[in-house]
Amino acid sequence: MNVHSNSPRVEDILQRLRRAGHRITPQRLAILRAFADSHSHPSVDMVYAAVKPNFPTTSLATVYKTVVLLKELGEVMEIGFGEGGNRYDVRVPTPHPHLVCTRCRRILDAELDALDHLTETLAQSTGFRILSHRVDFYGICPECRRKAAH
Amino acid sequence: MNVHSNSPRVEDILQRLRRAGHRITPQRLAILRAFADSHSHPSVDMVYAAVKPNFPTTSLATVYKTVVLLKELGEVMEIGFGEGGNRYDVRVPTPHPHLVCTRCRRILDAELDALDHLTETLAQSTGFRILSHRVDFYGICPECRRKAAH
DNA sequence: TTAGGTGCAAATCATTTGCAATCTC
DNA sequence: GAGATTGCAAATGATTTGCACCTAA
């Protein structure tokens, strides 16, 4: 992705930012691009590291503030991890299952059609009004398994 | 539960502590009891608060150190929460689904027989070796729903 | 022009750690 | 008595906040 074109997802967010009365600063644009370009689920530090080379004056605090803003607008979903900081999903900012490799720390999206049905069953049997979920599977990704086998 | 008898779960853990060469200090005993007595999934602060009245000299650091020890021994499972600290499960210290009330912060265990089958399907379709999971449903518990309806 | 945004540095909050004093085995 | 454990206080690491300066609209 070159520096002068935005992905549809970035344009999308930019539009909503403007509509909500927020300003498009060069820092924000760079942070948005870093988020959208990241095919994994980046941490704040990863985004910061990706932004700094193109925009050396950007501060970590600004990345954090931008993340807060994007969370408020629902454009980013936070996945809480104890170690090494939270990770974020800009591509699919709604609850969905993840596959987390505990070796390389990569996070992949997973398909699990059965989940909706499961949620409903659980709601009925417990009386809970279920509004959201967090479904993460931890293990070793195919790549790391291959490496481990020499 | 009075101060002089231990639940089977506490006796269980005490035995394994001794067997692993760890000492049974009064602080540890009090912390273990607080963990086991708590029918919800307590945070370190909750355990600390429960221990202090009976054992005023106990320090937070000791509670933390005991938690580390219990985690290492597999007697306690940590459930990571960003806000307000992690929560712990001593009763069922292996991965299982939870129902989390976002209003009263209560955490309940859930039954979900379908999960094992689901995990296996996911492992096959993705090539991941799945070793663990974290399945949490967030919502409003029956009690909080009742209160909300006057 | 002027609110909103940035960046520094200091403040938080949960958790960990170093270490001398104190206990359990 | 020896080595593990405690408890204080200081260190850590992620995140937040206060505030003077800056800049997009």
Side-chain angles (χ1 to χ4, degrees), chain B residues 54-65:
Chain B
N54 308 319
F55 222 96
T57 67
T58 310
S59 74
L60 234 198
T62 297
V63 181
Y64 273 109
K65 284 168 185 166

Side-chain angles (χ1 to χ4, degrees), chain A residues 87-141:
Chain A
R87 305 284 288 259
Y88 297 88
D89 201 326
V90 229
R91 308 182 150 259
V92 189
T94 49
H96 61 275
H98 290 107
L99 284 162
V100 182
C101 180
T102 51
R103 197 158 295 168
C104 67
R105 312 253 99 207
R106 201 190 326 237
I107 301 178
L108 299 165
D109 292 329
E111 292 292 321
L112 223 58
D113 323 315
L115 202 56
D116 286 344
H117 177 254
L118 245 140
T119 305
E120 209 170 303
T121 307
L122 203 58
Q124 296 212 332
S125 67
T126 62
F128 248 75
R129 183 203 307 284
I130 295 175
L131 301 169
S132 170
H133 62 252
R134 171 186 178 152
V135 175
D136 296 340
F137 295 90
Y138 302 96
I140 315 294
C141 71

